[in-house]
Amino acid sequence: MKKTSLLKQLAAIALVTLSLAASAQTENPRGIYKLMTIIGRAGEVNAPFDQYKICTDEVTLSLFMQRTGNFSLHDNDKGKIFNYTGEEPTDENDQSIKIFDSDSHHFSMKWWSKFSNHLIFPENNWCTEKYEADKYSSEARPVFEALTTTPSIDSSNPLLGTWRILGMLDELKGAKKQVKTLKANYETSKYAGRYFTIAPSSIVYVLVDKNAGGQVMKGGCTDKNSLTLGNETHAVKWISKDVAAMEMRKENTSSWQIMERVNDGQTLMSRIISSQIANGNR
């Protein structure tokens, strides 16, 4: 009797475990996921490109990373919020995106492909993409660190952190007064939405607007008075605690790029999402 009772208990525990496991695969994916494999015309293959899905309650964005360091963010799914749908279409005419096998660790996306003569995507058939969380290429990692880190002041080097570009000045004479003018005209200037995230060994340029994207640049900074971009080192002059000017040399002339520290607690990712929503990408 005791043996039978124990077997029943183990069976009951197994059923509960299976039930929990099954329910865990029906969550709405939320967070950042990397494309790992694609099931298309040639079966399942490793993803041939560095692609990510940023899944939120408000918008789903796709980030495409290039080996050159350039990246772009798009509403590639036409306003689709990635909530669990199950794998099967509702009827024979249903070609809407399907989200399944989904939780905080992974999800699968099935979409109807109309590509013709594509190496991977099928023609007039379903294509499945499998994504996993917490996976980043070496090229994409500094991008997501820049996008998701809450800006703050680094006590060891105040130049480290996130900055917005206010504009350019030909000289720094009367700079504080000129900075006030740059701030007043910022929203309508060509510099609106341009940011830098400065780290010791890399700099990430980010454009925040409906065509969001940017570039990871070689360089960085080891002290508060200079900044390296590529193979060039630029002098930095401080106008105030939160405003710095970087010297830009061209032949025998110099101008100054004016940067203001971002310290309002917003990440660049939250700014991009807000911009996408404001532009109708819901």
Side-chain angles (χ1 to χ4, degrees):
M1 291 294 291
K2 288 184 178 180
K3 185 176 180 180
T4 302
S5 177
L6 178 59
L7 289 173
K8 287 183 177 180
Q9 290 178 27
L10 291 173
I13 291 171
L15 286 173
V16 170
T17 302
L18 288 171
S19 177
L20 289 173
S23 65
Q25 311 306 306
T26 63
E27 298 174 16
N28 298 330
R30 292 295 181 265
I32 300 169
Y33 300 79
K34 177 178 172 57
L35 176 62
M36 303 303 291
T37 63
I38 300 174
I39 303 175
R41 62 180 295 179
E44 188 165 5
V45 298
N46 292 330
F49 29 77
D50 200 3
Q51 176 180 315
Y52 302 81
K53 293 293 184 183
I54 302 159
C55 304
T56 76
D57 290 332
E58 296 85 16
V59 68
T60 303
L61 297 178
S62 298
L63 186 145
F64 301 93
M65 189 75 217
Q66 306 295 326
R67 291 186 178 179
T68 59
N70 295 324
F71 64 93
S72 59
L73 289 112
H74 304 284
D75 174 27
N76 212 44
D77 301 294
K78 301 178 181 179
K80 169 74 174 178
I81 306 300
F82 277 17
N83 291 332
Y84 175 83
T85 62
E87 183 177 2
E88 298 304 318
T90 56
D91 56 50
E92 61 182 9
N93 298 314
D94 181 15
Q95 296 179 358
S96 60
I97 292 174
K98 304 302 173 190
I99 304 298
F100 59 98
D101 188 24
S102 56
D103 59 20
S104 60
H105 303 291
H106 56 79
F107 76 89
S108 294
M109 166 192 175
K110 189 163 79 170
W111 55 280
W112 186 261
S113 172
K114 296 181 181 179
F115 284 89
S116 59
N117 300 318
H118 195 280
L119 289 174
I120 299 174
F121 303 144
E123 182 175 0
N124 293 321
N125 206 341
W126 292 102
C127 183
T128 298
E129 298 177 355
K130 294 184 178 182
Y131 290 82
E132 291 184 19
D134 300 320
K135 303 284 186 179
Y136 303 97
S137 66
S138 58
E139 292 84 2
R141 185 173 294 279
V143 173
F144 282 106
E145 288 176 352
L147 294 180
T148 60
T149 299
T150 301
S152 61
I153 299 176
D154 191 307
S155 58
S156 64
N157 183 353
L159 195 54
L160 300 175
T162 301
W163 302 79
R164 67 172 181 166
I165 303 173
L166 293 178
M168 299 293 297
L169 295 179
D170 292 330
E171 59 181 7
L172 296 182
K173 185 178 179 179
K176 289 187 177 181
K177 185 176 181 180
Q178 293 186 80
V179 166
K180 287 183 179 179
T181 302
L182 292 178
K183 287 184 180 182
N185 298 327
Y186 173 76
E187 293 299 335
T188 56
S189 76
K190 67 179 182 180
Y191 298 98
R194 298 188 183 190
Y195 294 85
F196 274 107
T197 293
I198 302 171
S201 58
S202 68
I203 295 175
V204 181
Y205 167 74
V206 180
L207 176 63
V208 176
D209 69 0
K210 64 180 179 180
N211 298 311
Q215 183 182 22
V216 181
M217 295 177 285
K218 294 180 180 179
C221 69
T222 56
D223 65 79
K224 68 177 185 178
N225 297 316
S226 64
L227 185 63
T228 301
L229 289 173
N231 297 320
E232 295 185 9
T233 298
H234 304 261
V236 173
K237 302 291 184 182
W238 290 84
I239 298 171
S240 69
K241 180 174 69 72
D242 292 320
V243 178
M246 179 172 65
E247 186 178 24
M248 308 295 288
R249 293 183 178 181
K250 187 176 182 180
E251 296 179 350
N252 296 322
T253 62
S254 292
S255 58
W256 298 86
Q257 179 176 280
I258 308 303
M259 308 181 298
E260 181 181 37
R261 186 192 312 281
V262 175
N263 56 11
D264 61 359
Q266 272 198 79
T267 65
L268 291 179
M269 183 71 80
S270 67
R271 294 177 190 276
I272 290 172
I273 290 172
S274 295
S275 176
Q276 293 292 316
I277 292 173
N279 282 286
N281 296 335
R282 301 173 178 269

